Amino acid sequence: MGNVQAMCNLGYIYEYGRTGKRDYKKAFYCFKKAADSGSAEACYKVGDIYFYGDAGEKRKTMV
């Protein structure tokens, strides 16, 4: 409904599996949508996902 912080919070819910199973794709969607709307916190989380990957494991090759 347009609340950027709520969208970011929803990303955390999906990322940490607060509803049961973790869903990294939905988490990324929420963080990206919030980041596009100006949330600095969501921008940080999008960067984390790009750096560490979907499962939170650090990629073996660094760019």
Side-chain angles (χ1 to χ4, degrees), residues 1-14 26-35 37 39 42:
M1 298 192 74
N3 187 318
V4 177
Q5 185 61 49
M7 185 59 78
C8 189
N9 292 345
L10 187 57
Y12 279 108
I13 289 170
Y14 285 127
K26 286 183 181 178
F28 179 78
Y29 172 80
C30 293
F31 289 135
K32 181 77 169 95
K33 191 159 179 89
S37 295
S39 170

Side-chain angles (χ1 to χ4, degrees), residues 23-52:
D23 192 330
Y24 295 105
K25 288 183 181 185
K26 286 183 181 178
F28 179 78
Y29 172 80
C30 293
F31 289 135
K32 181 77 169 95
K33 191 159 179 89
D36 290 344
S37 295
S39 170
E41 181 180 2
C43 286
Y44 174 82
K45 291 305 295 179
V46 168
D48 270 355
I49 292 169
Y50 279 128
F51 185 75
Y52 292 109

